[in-house]
């Protein structure tokens, strides 16, 4: 699991912004939001244009150079913070797998090329390398992979090079880290057809509904979400299978469905096809949802026991201890990300109305 993430110099983040998943309080309610002592479910709030989307992109930058999974083009345009004194963005991840800790830090320039990379395994430096000067401390990584050719001038990432070309046990922390990164998933509920990670291609996005069982499950999901229409799959004039509303005449789903209904389709697709996802970040997850439906979606996501889930939202109806807890709600401002539990001197209890406190400015300090 991801234990800590920090970013600086990226897009609108000049200063270091940190999300510490290990900052867990001793609340005795909604314990399902905590997994192995780390925050497993979180919602991030913040004003428009404050950087909620960019924070998710920052967290998923690691996918671009450690995996071959999809990174939708143009999401990482205007990469560096324009006010930064440094000519790089720095990313810092700490992963926890059982008793093992991996501390991974790297820097990239405006072309998104690695400038520096460092990995510490269980408090011991495995390697550090300066790509600009072609120098670093490689002693321990060479001991781990003694048979590799270390004249790697053309290697774009040492960690990927080592893991992909070395026989390591599946339980080795580096293997676990790479598997975690390969199974990360970022997407928007908005109908933008954009995503990062988990898959190399999403070529089954429309076709996966052609299975009768899946079709009926989605139909039931829509009904439970307040959409009463039934669905069917028919051949169109070009002889291709297409999803329709089961009306007379039948209406093509993706041409007439509302933005909210299409957002439900996007969510259902990923929920059904990405059950092995390690970390799921859904940006503006409830942009088109009624507040009751948003609560229902959160309830579904909370049942994904082995998946860390991060949502961004403006919906203050979700700010309640009935759904999560104060150490799982975060407020993003210009220069920091703060859990509600740390945003006030008040000792927050289960009976507190978090939404009312938020609206009154309790967490502005």
């Amino acid at each position: 699991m991801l234990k800590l993430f920090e970013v600086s110099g990226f897009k609108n983040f000049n200063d270091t912004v940190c999300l510490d998943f290990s900052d867990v309080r001793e609340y005795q309610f909604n314990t399902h939001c905590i997994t192995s002592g780390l925050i497993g479910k979180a919602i991030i709030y913040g004003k428009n244009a404050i950087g909620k989307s960019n924070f998710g992109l920052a967290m998923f930058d690691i996918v671009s150079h450690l995996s071959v999974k999809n990174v939708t083009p143009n999401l990482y345009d205007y990469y560096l913070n324009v006010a930064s004194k440094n000519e790089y963005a720095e990313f810092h991840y700490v992963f926890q797998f059982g008793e093992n800790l991996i501390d991974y830090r790297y820097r990239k320039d405006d072309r998104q090329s690695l400038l520096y990379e460092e990995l510490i395994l269980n408090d011991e430096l495995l390697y550090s390398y300066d790509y600009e000067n072609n120098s670093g401390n490689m002693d321990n990584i060479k001991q781990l992979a003694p048979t590799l050719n270390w004249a790697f001038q053309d290697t774009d990432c040492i960690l990927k090079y080592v893991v992909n070309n070395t026989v390591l046990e599946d339980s080795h922390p580096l293997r676990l880290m790479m598997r975690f990164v390969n199974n990360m998933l970022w997407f928007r509920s908005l109908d933008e057809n954009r995503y990062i990670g988990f898959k190399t291609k999403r070529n089954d996005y429309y076709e996966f509904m052609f299975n009768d069982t899946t079709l009926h499950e989605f139909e039931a999901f829509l009904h439970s979400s307040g959409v009463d229409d039934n669905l069917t799959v028919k051949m169109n004039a070009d002889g291709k299978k297409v999803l329709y509303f089961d009306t007379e005449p039948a209406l093509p789903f993706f041409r007439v469905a509302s933005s909210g209904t299409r957002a439900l389709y996007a969510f259902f697709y990923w929920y059904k096809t990405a059950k092995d996802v390690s970390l799921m970040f859904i940006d503006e997850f409830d942009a088109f949802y009624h507040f009751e439906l948003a609560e229902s979606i959160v309830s579904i996501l909370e049942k994904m026991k082995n998946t860390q889930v991060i949502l961004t939202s403006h919906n203050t109806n979700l700010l309640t201890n009935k759904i999560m807890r104060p150490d799982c709600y975060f407020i993003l401002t210009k220069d920091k990300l703060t859990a509600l539990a740390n945003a006030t001197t008040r000792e927050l209890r289960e009976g507190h109305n978090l939404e009312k406190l938020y609206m009154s400015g309790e967490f502005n300090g």
Side-chain angles (χ1 to χ4, degrees):
M1 294 183 67
L2 187 58
K3 184 177 182 180
L4 180 141
F5 172 70
E6 293 180 322
V7 61
S8 63
F10 173 79
K11 289 187 176 286
N12 62 293
F13 301 116
N14 187 4
D15 301 319
T16 300
V17 175
C18 174
L19 176 50
D20 185 353
F21 294 89
S22 67
D23 188 8
V24 174
R25 300 299 181 90
E26 296 182 356
Y27 297 119
Q28 299 303 309
F29 56 94
N30 290 333
T31 55
H32 58 272
C33 293
I34 307 300
T35 304
S36 300
L38 301 176
I39 293 171
K41 307 293 183 288
I43 298 180
I44 297 176
Y45 288 88
K47 297 179 180 179
N48 288 329
I50 202 63
K52 298 186 299 298
S53 298
N54 285 343
F55 187 77
L57 295 179
M59 184 176 291
F60 276 71
D61 185 88
I62 194 172
V63 174
S64 65
H65 71 274
L66 288 187
S67 81
V68 295
K69 301 303 174 69
N70 177 77
V71 178
T72 298
N74 304 321
L75 286 176
Y76 287 90
D77 291 350
Y78 308 104
Y79 192 74
L80 298 186
N81 180 272
V82 295
S84 176
K85 297 179 181 179
N86 301 314
E87 295 183 355
Y88 59 79
E90 182 166 279
F91 305 86
H92 180 209
Y93 302 79
V94 178
F95 296 93
Q96 177 176 313
F97 303 107
E99 299 297 319
N100 295 300
L101 287 179
I102 298 177
D103 190 313
Y104 182 54
R105 184 187 304 270
Y106 63 86
R107 297 169 185 165
K108 287 184 177 180
D109 61 18
D110 58 349
R111 296 170 298 173
Q112 302 175 42
S113 299
L114 278 175
L115 302 177
Y116 176 81
E117 194 178 12
E118 174 186 285
L119 192 145
I120 298 171
L121 176 58
N122 295 329
D123 296 324
E124 184 175 13
L125 179 67
L126 197 60
Y127 71 90
S128 62
Y129 194 76
D130 183 336
Y131 288 87
E132 292 184 291
N133 298 312
N134 296 320
S135 63
N137 186 336
M138 306 293 293
D139 293 342
N140 288 332
I141 194 71
K142 289 182 178 180
Q143 291 180 22
L144 179 68
T147 61
L148 287 186
N149 176 12
W150 289 102
F152 51 70
Q153 289 86 351
D154 295 329
T155 298
D156 60 350
C157 174
I158 292 172
L159 178 57
K160 184 168 65 175
Y161 173 70
V162 170
V163 174
N164 289 345
N165 294 282
T166 306
V167 178
L168 298 174
E169 294 182 358
D170 285 343
S171 59
H172 192 282
L174 295 186
R175 284 277 184 215
L176 296 177
M177 174 186 170
M178 292 294 285
R179 191 174 305 141
F180 187 97
V181 172
N182 273 281
N183 286 336
M184 291 170 63
L185 170 66
W186 175 99
F187 70 96
R188 284 192 172 125
S189 285
L190 306 176
D191 189 29
E192 297 185 33
N193 201 27
R194 297 180 173 189
Y195 75 101
I196 300 170
F198 197 77
K199 294 186 176 185
T200 53
K201 295 181 179 179
R202 190 170 61 165
N203 52 4
D204 63 339
Y205 184 69
Y206 300 102
E207 289 79 5
F208 98 112
M209 196 59 68
F210 297 162
N211 177 283
D212 286 342
T213 300
T214 306
L215 177 66
H216 293 318
E217 287 183 14
F218 180 57
E219 188 177 71
F221 174 66
L222 289 183
H223 292 170
S224 68
S225 302
V227 180
D228 296 329
D229 303 272
N230 292 325
L231 302 172
T232 187
V233 174
K234 293 178 175 289
M235 292 287 187
N236 65 9
D238 296 326
K240 296 181 179 180
K241 288 185 177 181
V242 176
L243 181 65
Y244 286 88
F245 286 111
D246 194 9
T247 55
E248 187 58 47
L251 300 173
F253 179 88
F254 289 101
R255 293 183 62 182
V256 303
S258 68
S259 297
T261 303
R262 292 199 303 272
L264 287 172
Y265 184 97
F267 170 80
F268 186 81
Y269 168 81
W270 286 116
Y271 178 70
K272 293 296 292 184
T273 63
K275 287 188 176 296
D276 295 327
V277 63
S278 56
L279 188 151
M280 180 183 291
F281 192 108
I282 311 180
D283 190 32
E284 301 289 0
F285 91 101
D286 56 347
F288 296 113
Y289 298 162
H290 184 271
F291 75 90
E292 291 181 348
L293 176 56
E295 291 182 11
S296 176
I297 297 295
V298 173
S299 177
I300 292 172
L301 292 170
E302 287 181 335
K303 294 176 183 176
M304 300 178 71
K305 296 181 179 180
N306 298 318
T307 302
Q308 284 180 287
V309 177
I310 304 173
L311 311 172
T312 69
S313 177
H314 294 285
N315 183 0
T316 58
N317 287 286
L318 298 174
L319 271 173
T320 168
N321 286 323
K322 294 180 181 179
I323 298 176
M324 287 191 182
R325 34 191 276 172
D327 51 356
C328 294
Y329 291 112
F330 292 83
I331 300 174
L332 181 64
T333 57
K334 184 179 180 180
D335 56 357
K336 61 183 178 179
L337 182 65
T338 310
L340 293 193
N342 298 325
T344 177
T345 57
R346 185 193 301 261
E347 183 181 348
L348 298 176
R349 299 187 177 92
E350 185 175 5
H352 277 121
N353 187 323
L354 299 182
E355 181 184 22
K356 184 177 181 180
L357 292 174
Y358 178 80
M359 299 300 290
S360 68
E362 176 74 23
F363 306 115
N364 289 342

